Structure formats: C-alpha cells, structure tokens
Amino acid sequence: MVSGLSKLIDPARPIVLDTSVVINLAATGVADRILAALPNLTVVLDAVQEDLRRNSESDRPALKVLEELIETKAVRLVEGTNLSQGYFESLVAGSGPDTLDDGEAATIAYALEQAATPILDERKALRICRENFAALQTASTIDILSHPSVGRSLGRDLLREAVDRALEAHMRVLPDHIDWLVDLLGAEAVSKYATIPARIRASLSRS
C-alpha cells in the first residue's frame, strides 16, 4: 500500500470540509467509504451546502452526495449562526485579496473556534490562514485520501481510481503531495492533470 504524508494525525480532532473538498470527495465515487475510514469527526458548515446549491449545474451531484452523507450521519452539518467569535466577519469583510467566500470563511471560522482542522484546497484560503492564523493546522483533500486508514479500507486499486476521479474533477495538488501521487499513479499519469503546476508536469513528463 502507498504510504501517505497525511497531516491528519490526531484522531480526536474534528475535520471541517470546504466546498471544493466536498466536490473532490464526491467525484471519487466512494466518499462514504473514505469518510467512514477516517477516525475523525467530519463537519460541514451550512454555508458550504449553500455554496453548492448556488453554484453551477455541474456541482449538483456533489450536493446530492453531501446530503446523503448528512442523512447517514457520515457528516455533521453545523449552522453558521453558531459561530460567535468574529472570525467569520473578519474573513468576509475587507479588500478582495484578503476576503473569502462564505463557505471558506465559515469553514475556517469553525475550525478556529472548535480546535478543528479545516480541509482546504484553494491557494487563497491557505495563504490567508498562513498569514493570519499561523497556529491553525490546515489540511487538503489529499491529506484525506492519503490517510493510512483510507488506504487500508479502499485497497490500492480502488484508491487509485478514487484519486484519478478527484483529479479529473480538478482537485488542486500541493507540491508536497506530488511524490505520493507519483507513487500511486505513476509519473506519466500525474503529468496530464492541469491542476498540477506546469513546472512539475514538465519535469514528470521528462522522467
């Protein structure tokens, strides 16, 4: 089995899924099995659910998957009205480069208030966390997919298929996950995805 570099090392720490992460997990086709394999409580803010409702028709399948996960209690839905410490307002107000949409802002605010790990893929959200909340441990979709418990539950072949589907759905990849992806899928396969930085794709295609 491919060994991961998952940041999700504390099973008692809840994880909070951003909109893009829900889309990526829904694209795998096995989101229920992936989340069931994790020891962590999984939370989604109602603002993320609303993001999916407002977004394009292409996101409707992800909304359906999320609603099924909520119904089966694989995911706990939390109302944003429960946020109380002002983080949300600070993240949605101000200049464009330093503000986020409601789903991202609610995800980060909840994580800050509840000592949880926000699962984020968007570079802007990650940058804002890094610059303003340095003590907050963030993670990404691949931190979920590379979790050892997920690998054991799915097996290598199904994990490979799940990751491939998420990449087809434009899952973003951070540089420190490239080696894990190459180990799982192979350099040639990884080099074809547009969400892999061009410099890395060029390097992989020559290897």
Side-chain angles (χ1 to χ4, degrees):
M1 178 54 58
V2 176
S3 60
L5 296 174
S6 177
K7 296 176 183 175
L8 304 180
I9 59 176
D10 183 354
R13 190 177 177 91
I15 62 172
V16 198
L17 308 183
D18 182 34
T19 307
S20 61
V21 177
V22 172
I23 292 169
N24 294 335
L25 291 176
T28 68
V30 287
D32 54 343
R33 291 188 57 178
I34 290 168
L35 295 180
L38 292 176
N40 309 74
L41 171 68
T42 303
V43 174
V44 168
L45 274 293
D46 58 354
V48 167
Q49 189 178 38
E50 287 303 314
D51 274 353
L52 290 171
R53 286 198 179 112
R54 288 193 300 266
N55 286 352
S56 66
E57 194 70 28
S58 63
D59 288 340
R60 295 300 166 83
L63 175 62
K64 183 174 185 294
V65 169
L66 176 60
E67 290 173 341
E68 290 170 352
L69 292 170
I70 293 168
E71 184 176 354
T72 60
K73 303 189 186 316
V75 167
R76 178 183 294 177
L77 183 67
V78 173
E79 294 183 4
T81 52
N82 294 330
L83 300 172
S84 61
Q85 295 187 21
Y87 292 120
F88 177 80
E89 289 81 1
S90 71
L91 289 164
V92 296
S95 62
D98 295 312
T99 59
L100 298 170
D101 64 31
D102 286 357
E104 289 171 324
T107 296
I108 294 168
Y110 180 90
L112 287 163
E113 292 184 16
Q114 300 296 323
T117 299
I119 312 298
L120 306 161
D121 287 335
E122 300 301 326
R123 293 186 182 93
K124 182 179 178 182
L126 290 168
R127 174 185 61 78
I128 289 174
C129 285
R130 194 166 56 246
E131 293 176 356
N132 297 282
F133 312 109
L136 180 65
Q137 173 68 68
T138 63
S140 69
T141 303
I142 291 189
D143 286 300
I144 292 176
L145 297 172
S146 66
H147 192 286
S149 295
V150 173
R152 286 192 295 269
S153 175
L154 298 187
R156 186 183 180 95
D157 289 343
L158 184 52
L159 178 62
R160 184 189 296 115
E161 292 174 12
V163 171
D164 181 73
R165 292 187 193 116
L167 287 165
E168 291 284 358
H170 305 293
M171 174 176 66
R172 290 190 180 275
V173 178
L174 301 176
D176 55 352
H177 288 131
I178 295 296
D179 287 346
W180 182 83
L181 274 180
V182 169
D183 191 21
L184 179 67
L185 301 177
E188 183 178 353
V190 174
S191 69
K192 73 180 182 180
Y193 293 108
T195 51
I196 306 294
R199 171 181 54 82
I200 294 175
R201 280 188 282 127
S203 174
L204 291 173
S205 65
R206 292 194 299 268
S207 62

